[in-house]
Amino acid sequence: MFLSVFDMFKVGIGPSSSHTMGPMVAAARFLDHLRTLPFGVAGLRASLHGSLAFTGVGHATDRAVILGLAGFTPNAYDAQRAQTTLAQIRQSGRIDAAGLGQLRFAPDTDLVFDYGPPLPGHANGLVLMATDAQGDVIAQETYFSIGGGFVVTGDELRAPPPAPAADFPYPFNTAAQMLDMARDSGKSIASMKRANELKLRSASDLDQGLRRIWQVMTDCIDRGLQADGTLPGGLNVRRRAKGILTALRTEQGLNLTAPHTINDWIGVYAMAVNEENAAGGQVVTAPTNGAAGVVPATIRYWLDHVPGARVARLDDFLLTAAAIGGLIKHNASISGAECGCQAEVGAAAAMAAAGLAAVLGGTPEQIENAAEIALEHHLGMTCDPVKGLVQVPCIERNGLGAIKAVSAASLALRGDGTHFMPLDNCIEAMRQTGADMSEKYKETALGGLAVNIPNC
């Protein structure tokens, strides 16, 4: 299965690619389905299941579904228009769906959080329904939001993987295949990934798309570093990135500044992104929203703090990172609801470590080693967000993920690429660990930090 760089890096909105972007995309798909039907539709309903129910309020899943049914998409999200539209729907009990007319939809009664067993197939399930004038269901579809903004229907989830849409020159599905192809061709991982991408789009479209990815990422960092106040959701978590940046700038140039302060610079870039994500701002999945800060923070560290860093090499970073992310998604998961946070921040750290190793001159073997080191030291990490919000521990966790990514790349570059645990085996260990992990620790807010918080 080929996963494009634009599959791993999608422009969208916070706070969650699984709970916000995926359901919004599912709603859009359902509307497209309704437009093909030969009969009229009078109303809409929706039910959320599994993790989408348990952490749906904190993750703004209800809001995403409503806006998706109203025609909003993650890539072109307008926050001000969204607020106006939500208020109109709540007041009128109707959604204006393009091509379908005014449809009945009362959010308080027509959108149900089902806290029973998850739907068979995946922890992130939602059912969208259309009704006639009498309120009877006349069309229904089940969707699963499988991580990173990817959405499939129940039938698609059960179907065998589709045949490749193009004859890719380097069709690697494992890290071992990737390294063999790099060795045989003499090409870098980024060069092979670029060649594969060019089977689907022109070079100018690819370059323009990569530039947009970084522009959205770096703009998100800058917004996060400038904003202050309290994040929404009721935990009263204060934004910290701006204050940390101010302190770091004050200390710059002081002879007594400790060398480990560089970790604070790496961490603050990631925290800035994830504070923006928690506030519902525009972010890039990397590979998910919950882990959106790791890759951009690592890139920003490289560009701003590493001698010799050049923006011209940015494509190599993103393409290499996407190649590693694709291997993890294809052979395991990038979904917190499937495998815990090891699949989100762990995958992001592996991607960032690989990208950094690539632009620092690493060989394919060293790059694979960097990704393995970063992923290995996130194995077993749970997804246990307090109050179902993508804030505690998610914001700081991205900072630590970026620091681990930089350390992993540095450590790998100190060796020649030979190492004990292959990346493929580490990915499989992550998959097995996720399968064995209790549901309490997989994005349900029913265990771990989510239930061990102060009562005062």
Side-chain angles (χ1 to χ4, degrees):
M1 178 180 180
F2 178 74
L3 291 164
S4 167
V5 62
F6 303 115
D7 289 325
M8 305 314 298
F9 298 116
K10 299 186 183 79
V11 176
I13 57 167
S16 170
S17 48
S18 291
H19 292 66
T20 308
M21 291 174 59
M24 189 176 284
V25 171
R29 287 189 60 178
F30 188 60
L31 292 181
D32 287 341
H33 170 64
L34 295 183
R35 295 184 186 105
T36 68
L37 300 180
F39 47 80
V41 173
L44 297 168
R45 293 179 189 163
S47 61
L48 305 175
H49 303 261
S51 177
L52 295 186
F54 284 109
T55 60
V57 173
H59 284 55
T61 308
D62 49 348
R63 174 189 175 97
V65 171
I66 296 168
L67 290 173
L69 292 173
F72 285 74
T73 60
N75 189 50
Y77 181 76
D78 183 320
Q80 186 171 357
R81 187 167 69 88
Q83 285 294 97
T84 302
T85 300
L86 280 171
Q88 291 172 343
I89 292 171
R90 295 188 184 282
Q91 182 178 22
S92 68
R94 292 187 174 275
I95 283 178
D96 187 4
L100 296 168
Q102 291 271 332
L103 304 179
R104 290 193 309 267
F105 185 85
D108 291 341
T109 56
D110 289 325
L111 196 156
V112 175
F113 289 82
D114 188 323
Y115 298 108
L119 298 176
H122 195 278
N124 291 332
L126 66 155
V127 179
L128 299 178
M129 295 159 276
T131 60
D132 60 16
Q134 288 72 44
D136 295 326
V137 175
I138 54 176
Q140 176 174 311
E141 185 62 85
T142 299
Y143 297 92
F144 295 97
S145 182
I146 59 174
F150 290 89
V151 172
V152 294
T153 65
D155 289 341
E156 291 167 348
L157 186 70
R158 292 183 290 271
D167 183 18
F168 297 106
Y170 303 101
F172 53 83
N173 290 317
T174 67
Q177 292 174 349
M178 178 183 73
L179 292 178
D180 286 343
M181 291 179 186
R183 198 174 297 114
D184 293 342
S185 67
K187 290 183 176 292
S188 67
I189 294 171
S191 295
M192 294 191 299
K193 183 66 174 168
R194 175 177 284 275
N196 288 342
E197 296 286 339
L198 292 178
K199 297 295 290 188
L200 300 180
R201 55 186 58 84
S202 69
S204 61
D205 286 346
L206 175 60
D207 293 339
Q208 183 178 355
L210 292 172
R211 284 194 297 271
R212 186 188 181 217
I213 287 171
W214 174 238
Q215 191 62 58
V216 175
M217 283 181 171
T218 194
D219 286 349
C220 184
I221 292 174
D222 289 341
R223 288 195 311 273
L225 291 174
Q226 295 165 10
D228 51 22
T230 302
L231 294 171
L235 287 183
N236 297 318
V237 173
R238 294 194 60 79
R239 287 179 178 256
R240 297 163 56 197
K242 181 180 179 180
I244 294 172
L245 178 67
T246 299
L248 287 170
R249 284 177 171 168
T250 301
E251 296 168 5
Q252 275 185 311
L254 298 179
N255 291 333
L256 297 180
T257 301
H260 65 250
T261 301
I262 193 62
N263 288 335
D264 298 340
W265 283 97
I266 300 168
V268 78
Y269 297 143
M271 291 174 65
V273 172
N274 286 85
E275 287 177 354
E276 279 294 290
N277 180 63
Q282 187 181 55
V283 298
V284 177
T285 64
T288 67
N289 281 18
V294 177
V295 169
T298 305
I299 295 175
R300 188 69 166 262
Y301 156 74
W302 168 61
L303 289 174
D304 289 2
H305 299 273
V306 177
R310 296 179 291 118
V311 174
R313 296 290 314 280
L314 191 59
D315 290 3
D316 289 343
F317 192 117
L318 292 172
L319 289 166
T320 303
I324 297 301
L327 292 177
I328 295 172
K329 175 171 171 49
H330 177 64
N331 294 302
S333 175
I334 57 170
S335 168
E338 282 186 327
C339 288
C341 200
Q342 58 174 354
E344 295 201 35
V345 171
M351 293 167 64
L356 183 59
V359 295
L360 293 179
T363 65
E365 290 78 12
Q366 289 172 318
I367 292 167
E368 184 262 0
N369 188 12
E372 189 279 326
I373 293 170
L375 182 61
E376 178 181 291
H377 297 290
H378 283 88
L379 290 181
M381 182 173 282
T382 59
C383 183
D384 47 359
V386 176
K387 203 178 177 181
L389 297 167
V390 194
Q391 297 179 19
V392 179
C394 318
I395 295 169
E396 288 181 352
R397 184 168 287 176
N398 273 257
L400 272 293
I403 291 167
K404 283 187 182 181
V406 173
S407 297
S410 182
L411 186 60
L413 292 172
R414 294 291 182 183
D416 61 4
T418 59
H419 56 105
F420 184 80
M421 180 61 65
L423 176 59
D424 289 326
N425 299 67
C426 188
I427 292 172
E428 174 59 15
M430 191 264 278
R431 187 196 67 78
Q432 294 175 7
T433 303
D436 293 340
M437 189 181 291
S438 168
E439 297 300 320
K440 294 190 300 181
Y441 306 116
K442 293 195 285 190
E443 211 169 9
T444 59
L446 296 176
L449 292 174
V451 299
N452 286 279
I453 56 175
N455 294 319
C456 58

